[in-house]
Structure formats: structure tokens, C-alpha cells
Short mmCIF file of all heavy atoms in Angstrom, two decimals:
data_model
loop_
_atom_site.label_atom_id
_atom_site.label_comp_id
_atom_site.label_asym_id
_atom_site.label_seq_id
_atom_site.Cartn_x
_atom_site.Cartn_y
_atom_site.Cartn_z
N VAL O 1 -11.64 0.05 40.74
CA VAL O 1 -12.89 0.66 40.47
C VAL O 1 -13.88 0.31 41.58
O VAL O 1 -14.11 -0.86 41.92
CB VAL O 1 -13.44 0.03 39.13
CG1 VAL O 1 -14.83 0.52 38.79
CG2 VAL O 1 -12.51 0.28 37.97
N PHE O 2 -14.39 1.38 42.19
CA PHE O 2 -15.45 1.20 43.23
C PHE O 2 -16.79 1.34 42.51
O PHE O 2 -17.06 2.24 41.72
CB PHE O 2 -15.31 2.30 44.24
CG PHE O 2 -14.04 2.24 45.08
CD1 PHE O 2 -12.91 2.87 44.79
CD2 PHE O 2 -13.99 1.46 46.29
CE1 PHE O 2 -11.80 2.81 45.61
CE2 PHE O 2 -12.89 1.36 47.08
CZ PHE O 2 -11.73 2.06 46.70
N ILE O 3 -17.72 0.41 42.85
CA ILE O 3 -19.08 0.50 42.37
C ILE O 3 -20.01 0.30 43.48
O ILE O 3 -19.98 -0.64 44.24
CB ILE O 3 -19.27 -0.56 41.28
CG1 ILE O 3 -20.73 -0.55 40.74
CG2 ILE O 3 -18.94 -1.92 41.70
CD1 ILE O 3 -20.95 -1.28 39.44
N VAL O 4 -20.98 1.27 43.60
CA VAL O 4 -21.99 1.22 44.65
C VAL O 4 -23.09 0.29 44.19
O VAL O 4 -23.72 0.57 43.18
CB VAL O 4 -22.48 2.60 45.01
CG1 VAL O 4 -23.65 2.47 46.05
CG2 VAL O 4 -21.34 3.46 45.55
N ALA O 5 -23.33 -0.81 44.84
CA ALA O 5 -24.39 -1.72 44.40
C ALA O 5 -24.83 -2.55 45.65
O ALA O 5 -24.12 -2.62 46.70
CB ALA O 5 -23.80 -2.66 43.36
N ALA O 6 -25.97 -3.13 45.51
CA ALA O 6 -26.55 -3.91 46.63
C ALA O 6 -25.80 -5.14 46.98
O ALA O 6 -25.81 -5.65 48.09
CB ALA O 6 -28.06 -4.20 46.31
N LYS O 7 -25.18 -5.76 45.90
CA LYS O 7 -24.42 -6.98 46.09
C LYS O 7 -23.44 -7.19 44.96
O LYS O 7 -23.50 -6.48 43.91
CB LYS O 7 -25.39 -8.17 46.15
CG LYS O 7 -26.15 -8.40 44.87
CD LYS O 7 -27.18 -9.60 45.00
CE LYS O 7 -27.99 -9.77 43.72
NZ LYS O 7 -28.85 -10.92 43.81
N ALA O 8 -22.54 -8.10 45.18
CA ALA O 8 -21.55 -8.49 44.13
C ALA O 8 -22.26 -9.21 43.03
O ALA O 8 -23.31 -9.81 43.23
CB ALA O 8 -20.45 -9.30 44.75
N SER O 9 -21.68 -9.10 41.83
CA SER O 9 -22.27 -9.76 40.69
C SER O 9 -21.34 -10.80 40.11
O SER O 9 -20.16 -10.35 39.80
CB SER O 9 -22.66 -8.75 39.65
OG SER O 9 -23.22 -9.37 38.45
N PRO O 10 -21.65 -12.01 39.91
CA PRO O 10 -20.78 -13.03 39.35
C PRO O 10 -20.51 -12.79 37.83
O PRO O 10 -19.52 -13.26 37.36
CB PRO O 10 -21.47 -14.32 39.61
CG PRO O 10 -22.91 -14.02 39.66
CD PRO O 10 -22.98 -12.64 40.31
N VAL O 11 -21.42 -12.20 37.19
CA VAL O 11 -21.28 -11.98 35.71
C VAL O 11 -21.58 -10.46 35.45
O VAL O 11 -22.55 -9.95 35.97
CB VAL O 11 -22.29 -12.84 34.94
CG1 VAL O 11 -22.12 -12.49 33.44
CG2 VAL O 11 -22.13 -14.30 35.22
N PHE O 12 -20.69 -9.87 34.71
CA PHE O 12 -20.86 -8.44 34.48
C PHE O 12 -20.05 -8.07 33.22
O PHE O 12 -19.17 -8.79 32.81
CB PHE O 12 -20.42 -7.58 35.61
CG PHE O 12 -18.99 -7.82 36.08
CD1 PHE O 12 -17.96 -7.18 35.65
CD2 PHE O 12 -18.81 -8.84 37.05
CE1 PHE O 12 -16.68 -7.41 36.10
CE2 PHE O 12 -17.53 -9.13 37.50
CZ PHE O 12 -16.48 -8.41 36.98
N ASP O 13 -20.38 -6.94 32.62
CA ASP O 13 -19.67 -6.47 31.39
C ASP O 13 -19.82 -4.94 31.42
O ASP O 13 -20.93 -4.43 31.08
CB ASP O 13 -20.26 -7.09 30.20
CG ASP O 13 -19.41 -6.90 28.96
OD1 ASP O 13 -18.78 -5.77 28.88
OD2 ASP O 13 -19.32 -7.72 28.09
N ILE O 14 -18.75 -4.26 31.77
CA ILE O 14 -18.83 -2.78 31.90
C ILE O 14 -17.61 -2.16 31.10
O ILE O 14 -16.48 -2.62 31.18
CB ILE O 14 -18.63 -2.34 33.40
CG1 ILE O 14 -19.71 -3.06 34.25
CG2 ILE O 14 -18.73 -0.79 33.45
CD1 ILE O 14 -19.47 -2.82 35.71
N THR O 15 -17.94 -1.13 30.31
CA THR O 15 -16.92 -0.40 29.65
C THR O 15 -16.90 1.05 30.11
O THR O 15 -17.98 1.68 30.17
CB THR O 15 -17.16 -0.40 28.12
OG1 THR O 15 -17.07 -1.78 27.67
CG2 THR O 15 -16.07 0.38 27.38
N ILE O 16 -15.75 1.52 30.53
CA ILE O 16 -15.62 2.87 31.04
C ILE O 16 -14.64 3.61 30.17
O ILE O 16 -13.50 3.18 29.91
CB ILE O 16 -15.10 2.88 32.53
CG1 ILE O 16 -16.03 2.04 33.42
CG2 ILE O 16 -14.93 4.24 33.03
CD1 ILE O 16 -15.43 1.74 34.75
N LYS O 17 -15.07 4.79 29.63
CA LYS O 17 -14.13 5.62 28.88
C LYS O 17 -13.94 6.97 29.69
O LYS O 17 -14.94 7.52 30.18
CB LYS O 17 -14.74 5.96 27.49
CG LYS O 17 -14.88 4.78 26.62
CD LYS O 17 -15.47 5.11 25.30
CE LYS O 17 -15.64 3.84 24.39
NZ LYS O 17 -16.18 4.19 23.09
N GLN O 18 -12.69 7.37 29.85
CA GLN O 18 -12.38 8.50 30.63
C GLN O 18 -11.24 9.35 30.08
O GLN O 18 -10.36 8.83 29.33
CB GLN O 18 -12.15 8.15 32.04
CG GLN O 18 -10.90 7.20 32.21
CD GLN O 18 -10.60 6.92 33.69
OE1 GLN O 18 -11.36 7.22 34.61
NE2 GLN O 18 -9.47 6.26 33.92
N ASP O 19 -11.23 10.61 30.31
CA ASP O 19 -10.04 11.48 30.04
C ASP O 19 -9.26 11.50 31.30
O ASP O 19 -9.73 11.73 32.41
CB ASP O 19 -10.50 12.84 29.67
CG ASP O 19 -11.14 12.92 28.30
OD1 ASP O 19 -10.90 12.05 27.47
OD2 ASP O 19 -11.92 13.87 28.03
N VAL O 20 -7.90 11.31 31.18
CA VAL O 20 -6.99 11.38 32.30
C VAL O 20 -6.03 12.57 32.11
O VAL O 20 -5.28 12.53 31.11
CB VAL O 20 -6.22 10.07 32.48
CG1 VAL O 20 -5.35 10.13 33.70
CG2 VAL O 20 -7.28 8.92 32.59
N VAL O 21 -6.07 13.49 32.98
CA VAL O 21 -5.26 14.70 32.88
C VAL O 21 -4.07 14.57 33.87
O VAL O 21 -4.29 14.27 35.03
CB VAL O 21 -6.04 15.95 33.19
CG1 VAL O 21 -5.19 17.21 33.16
CG2 VAL O 21 -7.29 16.09 32.23
N ALA O 22 -2.87 14.80 33.39
CA ALA O 22 -1.64 14.74 34.20
C ALA O 22 -1.30 16.13 34.61
O ALA O 22 -1.27 17.06 33.84
CB ALA O 22 -0.50 14.07 33.47
N GLN O 23 -1.01 16.34 35.91
CA GLN O 23 -0.69 17.68 36.46
C GLN O 23 0.67 17.52 37.20
O GLN O 23 0.88 16.60 37.87
CB GLN O 23 -1.71 18.16 37.45
CG GLN O 23 -3.03 18.45 36.77
CD GLN O 23 -4.08 18.84 37.80
OE1 GLN O 23 -4.47 18.10 38.68
NE2 GLN O 23 -4.55 20.15 37.66
N LYS O 24 1.57 18.52 36.96
CA LYS O 24 2.96 18.40 37.49
C LYS O 24 2.98 19.11 38.82
O LYS O 24 2.51 20.23 38.99
CB LYS O 24 3.89 19.07 36.47
CG LYS O 24 3.99 18.26 35.14
CD LYS O 24 5.02 18.94 34.27
CE LYS O 24 5.03 18.22 32.88
NZ LYS O 24 5.44 16.80 33.04
N LEU O 25 3.69 18.48 39.76
CA LEU O 25 4.01 19.06 41.07
C LEU O 25 5.48 18.79 41.33
O LEU O 25 6.10 18.01 40.72
CB LEU O 25 3.18 18.39 42.18
CG LEU O 25 1.65 18.64 42.13
CD1 LEU O 25 0.87 17.74 43.13
CD2 LEU O 25 1.40 20.09 42.54
N ALA O 26 5.95 19.47 42.41
CA ALA O 26 7.34 19.24 42.82
C ALA O 26 7.55 19.53 44.24
O ALA O 26 7.18 20.58 44.73
CB ALA O 26 8.33 20.03 41.93
N ASN O 27 8.22 18.61 44.96
CA ASN O 27 8.84 18.99 46.30
C ASN O 27 10.11 19.69 46.01
O ASN O 27 10.65 19.64 44.88
CB ASN O 27 9.10 17.74 47.10
CG ASN O 27 7.83 16.95 47.41
OD1 ASN O 27 6.72 17.56 47.69
ND2 ASN O 27 7.86 15.62 47.23
N VAL O 28 10.73 20.27 47.05
CA VAL O 28 12.11 20.81 46.93
C VAL O 28 12.94 20.15 48.01
O VAL O 28 12.59 20.22 49.21
CB VAL O 28 12.13 22.36 47.10
CG1 VAL O 28 13.50 22.86 46.83
CG2 VAL O 28 11.10 23.02 46.13
N VAL O 29 13.96 19.43 47.61
CA VAL O 29 14.75 18.61 48.55
C VAL O 29 16.19 18.71 48.30
O VAL O 29 16.70 18.76 47.19
CB VAL O 29 14.32 17.02 48.22
CG1 VAL O 29 15.01 16.18 49.31
CG2 VAL O 29 12.85 16.86 48.31
N GLY O 30 16.93 18.81 49.42
CA GLY O 30 18.37 18.81 49.34
C GLY O 30 18.97 17.94 50.51
O GLY O 30 18.23 17.61 51.40
N ILE O 31 20.23 17.55 50.36
CA ILE O 31 20.76 16.64 51.42
C ILE O 31 22.21 17.06 51.81
O ILE O 31 22.86 17.82 51.03
CB ILE O 31 20.83 15.20 50.86
CG1 ILE O 31 21.81 15.03 49.71
CG2 ILE O 31 19.47 14.71 50.49
CD1 ILE O 31 22.03 13.59 49.27
N ILE O 32 22.63 16.70 52.96
CA ILE O 32 23.97 16.67 53.39
C ILE O 32 24.39 15.26 53.64
O ILE O 32 23.94 14.61 54.60
CB ILE O 32 24.15 17.47 54.70
CG1 ILE O 32 23.57 18.88 54.54
CG2 ILE O 32 25.63 17.55 55.12
CD1 ILE O 32 23.57 19.71 55.82
N PRO O 33 25.20 14.64 52.80
CA PRO O 33 25.58 13.22 52.92
C PRO O 33 26.27 13.04 54.28
O PRO O 33 27.08 13.83 54.75
CB PRO O 33 26.57 13.03 51.72
CG PRO O 33 26.18 14.07 50.76
CD PRO O 33 25.79 15.25 51.53
N GLY O 34 25.95 11.91 54.91
CA GLY O 34 26.51 11.48 56.15
C GLY O 34 27.99 10.97 55.94
O GLY O 34 28.42 10.66 54.85
N LYS O 35 28.66 10.79 57.09
CA LYS O 35 30.01 10.34 57.04
C LYS O 35 30.07 8.80 57.23
O LYS O 35 30.13 8.06 56.26
CB LYS O 35 30.86 11.07 58.09
CG LYS O 35 30.91 12.54 57.88
CD LYS O 35 31.79 13.21 58.89
CE LYS O 35 31.68 14.75 58.84
NZ LYS O 35 31.75 15.36 57.51
N SER O 36 29.99 8.32 58.48
CA SER O 36 30.11 6.89 58.73
C SER O 36 28.79 6.18 58.52
O SER O 36 28.84 4.94 58.37
CB SER O 36 30.61 6.64 60.16
OG SER O 36 29.69 7.22 61.05
N LYS O 37 27.64 6.86 58.51
CA LYS O 37 26.36 6.16 58.31
C LYS O 37 25.51 6.86 57.23
O LYS O 37 24.40 7.25 57.50
CB LYS O 37 25.56 6.25 59.69
CG LYS O 37 26.32 5.58 60.78
CD LYS O 37 25.54 5.52 62.12
CE LYS O 37 26.26 4.79 63.16
NZ LYS O 37 25.49 4.56 64.40
N LYS O 38 26.10 6.99 56.06
CA LYS O 38 25.46 7.74 54.96
C LYS O 38 24.20 7.09 54.45
O LYS O 38 23.38 7.76 53.75
CB LYS O 38 26.46 7.94 53.80
CG LYS O 38 26.97 6.61 53.14
CD LYS O 38 27.87 6.96 52.05
CE LYS O 38 28.35 5.68 51.25
NZ LYS O 38 29.29 6.01 50.15
N ASN O 39 24.00 5.81 54.75
CA ASN O 39 22.75 5.08 54.30
C ASN O 39 21.65 5.09 55.34
O ASN O 39 20.68 4.40 55.16
CB ASN O 39 23.07 3.73 53.82
CG ASN O 39 23.93 3.72 52.53
OD1 ASN O 39 23.83 4.53 51.67
ND2 ASN O 39 24.93 2.73 52.48
N GLU O 40 21.88 5.90 56.38
CA GLU O 40 20.82 6.13 57.39
C GLU O 40 20.45 7.56 57.34
O GLU O 40 21.32 8.49 57.24
CB GLU O 40 21.39 5.81 58.73
CG GLU O 40 21.72 4.27 58.95
CD GLU O 40 22.14 3.89 60.40
OE1 GLU O 40 22.16 4.87 61.25
OE2 GLU O 40 22.55 2.83 60.64
N TYR O 41 19.18 7.82 57.34
CA TYR O 41 18.64 9.18 57.05
C TYR O 41 17.89 9.84 58.23
O TYR O 41 17.11 9.16 58.91
CB TYR O 41 17.70 9.17 55.79
CG TYR O 41 18.34 8.54 54.58
CD1 TYR O 41 18.27 7.27 54.30
CD2 TYR O 41 19.11 9.36 53.77
CE1 TYR O 41 18.88 6.68 53.16
CE2 TYR O 41 19.78 8.86 52.65
CZ TYR O 41 19.59 7.52 52.35
OH TYR O 41 20.19 6.98 51.24
N VAL O 42 18.11 11.09 58.40
CA VAL O 42 17.29 11.92 59.33
C VAL O 42 16.69 13.06 58.44
O VAL O 42 17.37 13.69 57.71
CB VAL O 42 18.20 12.52 60.42
CG1 VAL O 42 17.32 13.44 61.32
CG2 VAL O 42 18.85 11.42 61.24
N ILE O 43 15.40 13.23 58.56
CA ILE O 43 14.66 14.12 57.65
C ILE O 43 14.11 15.30 58.51
O ILE O 43 13.54 15.17 59.53
CB ILE O 43 13.52 13.37 57.01
CG1 ILE O 43 13.99 12.29 56.13
CG2 ILE O 43 12.64 14.35 56.22
CD1 ILE O 43 12.89 11.38 55.61
N PHE O 44 14.33 16.55 57.96
CA PHE O 44 13.70 17.76 58.48
C PHE O 44 12.80 18.15 57.34
O PHE O 44 13.20 18.35 56.22
CB PHE O 44 14.70 18.82 58.78
CG PHE O 44 15.59 18.49 59.93
CD1 PHE O 44 16.84 17.90 59.75
CD2 PHE O 44 15.19 18.83 61.18
CE1 PHE O 44 17.64 17.60 60.85
CE2 PHE O 44 15.95 18.50 62.31
CZ PHE O 44 17.27 17.88 62.17
N SER O 45 11.53 18.46 57.62
CA SER O 45 10.53 18.75 56.64
C SER O 45 9.57 19.83 57.05
O SER O 45 9.28 20.05 58.27
CB SER O 45 9.81 17.54 56.15
OG SER O 45 9.03 16.94 57.25
N GLY O 46 8.91 20.39 56.04
CA GLY O 46 7.77 21.29 56.24
C GLY O 46 7.08 21.42 54.87
O GLY O 46 7.69 21.13 53.87
N HIS O 47 5.88 21.85 54.81
CA HIS O 47 5.22 22.06 53.49
C HIS O 47 5.22 23.51 53.10
O HIS O 47 4.99 24.39 53.93
CB HIS O 47 3.84 21.46 53.48
CG HIS O 47 2.74 22.17 54.24
ND1 HIS O 47 2.02 23.17 53.72
CD2 HIS O 47 2.35 22.00 55.50
CE1 HIS O 47 1.17 23.54 54.61
NE2 HIS O 47 1.31 22.93 55.73
#
């Protein structure tokens, strides 16, 4: 929580109520497993 204020406060009591909306997104990803070094990765990407 960011609060714009002149200084920090040693004593405070704040209640915040909010609606939180979830939105779905997805990358698209495929792989070609390696042979001798399958746990080392080379990535080709674009958006």
C-alpha cells in the first residue's frame, strides 16, 4: 500500500475496501526438447 503523506506515522488505523477483478490472458508457447542438454533453454520470442 502506497500512501502519499508528509511523514511516516507510528500509530495509524486504516480500513480499505475494494473490488478486485480478475482478467484472463495467455501467452502461446511451444518447445522442442533438447537432447544432451535438455535442462538448458534457448528462447525465441515475440509479442
Side-chain angles (χ1 to χ4, degrees):
V1 177
F2 293 92
I3 179 167
V4 177
K7 61 181 180 179
S9 178
V11 179
F12 54 92
D13 192 326
I14 304 170
T15 299
I16 303 167
K17 297 180 180 179
Q18 60 178 8
D19 289 338
V20 182
V21 179
Q23 295 177 295
K24 296 183 183 299
L25 291 168
N27 299 318
V28 186
V29 185
I31 66 172
I32 304 174
K35 300 183 187 314
S36 63
K37 299 184 177 184
K38 64 180 181 180
N39 293 322
E40 295 182 3
Y41 302 94
V42 178
I43 298 167
F44 292 94
S45 65
H47 70 89

